[in-house]
Amino acid sequence: MKRFLCDNTIGKLMKKLRLLGFDAQPFDEYRNNNDRILLTRSREKWQKWPGESFLIVSNNWRDQLKEVERRYSLIQEMRPFTRCVECNTLLADVKAEEVRDRIPERVFLTVKDFKICPNCKRIYWHGTHVENIMKNFEGVFDIDKFREFTKNF
């Protein structure tokens, strides 16, 4: 799976890549890690990066994601909702009872599957917000392929 390094010019794109299951770290924290693909809008960083890099043209995260998809065929590797959006850590399954005191009662009563970030302890579950997130991506990827790859999420 591709691993990305994202500078501060593409913060929204970094979070969207994480939602899709890609390892996407901020440039400032990992600037010496050139085994990652640098994604940037900065021509200077792009030219100086010793490893693989990709210069992003657009200002809009959807168009940025389209650019990255065209270059790297992301749809083939994506694993939506498997990483923490905040810290990039892979999520772990957790029993509802273990997080009961940290989620709304209605969620505890209606949702069976939960995930937790082992690093920052953020809790995730499949709610109506997931459908809204998925709709945001439908304009980026070929709709039939996207639905096929995301039908289990």
Side-chain angles (χ1 to χ4, degrees):
M1 179 169 271
K2 294 179 184 50
R3 297 167 22 137
F4 297 104
L5 199 57
C6 303
D7 72 1
N8 60 354
T9 64
I10 55 167
K12 282 187 181 177
L13 176 61
M14 181 177 71
K15 287 195 173 193
K16 303 305 181 189
L17 287 168
R18 288 175 176 178
L19 277 170
L20 293 171
F22 290 95
D23 184 343
Q25 293 287 1
F27 178 79
D28 291 338
E29 294 177 24
Y30 291 87
R31 70 176 62 195
N32 295 323
N33 191 345
N34 60 7
D35 67 332
R36 291 174 177 270
I37 301 167
L38 173 65
L39 302 177
T40 182
R41 294 192 66 241
S42 166
R43 186 169 295 281
E44 182 180 348
K45 285 181 189 169
W46 173 67
Q47 290 173 330
K48 289 181 178 179
W49 188 248
E52 184 175 354
S53 61
F54 182 62
L55 182 65
I56 296 191
V57 178
S58 178
N59 285 327
N60 177 283
W61 75 263
R62 281 185 183 86
D63 292 334
Q64 291 172 348
L65 191 55
K66 285 178 188 178
E67 290 178 49
V68 177
E69 162 61 17
R70 278 193 297 272
R71 173 74 182 262
Y72 296 106
S73 300
L74 299 179
I75 200 165
Q76 302 297 325
E77 294 185 39
M78 69 182 182
R79 302 291 177 263
F81 310 113
T82 57
R83 287 193 174 272
C84 179
V85 177
E86 296 305 315
C87 72
N88 197 43
T89 305
L90 285 170
L91 301 176
D93 292 330
V94 65
K95 295 181 192 279
E97 283 298 327
E98 294 177 42
V99 295
R100 184 177 190 163
D101 61 334
R102 299 186 51 214
I103 57 174
E105 185 68 19
R106 64 178 165 68
V107 172
F108 176 78
L109 295 172
T110 58
V111 177
K112 294 185 189 304
D113 299 318
F114 294 89
K115 294 192 179 288
I116 191 167
C117 174
N119 184 45
C120 71
K121 307 302 182 203
R122 187 175 172 140
I123 302 166
Y124 294 86
W125 62 88
H126 191 104
T128 56
H129 61 285
V130 171
E131 300 307 319
N132 294 332
I133 292 168
M134 298 299 277
K135 285 179 186 175
N136 277 322
F137 289 121
E138 286 182 355
V140 174
F141 299 100
D142 173 277
I143 191 66
D144 294 327
K145 284 184 183 177
F146 184 71
R147 286 190 178 144
E148 178 64 27
F149 279 95
T150 60
K151 67 183 175 188
N152 296 322
F153 301 100

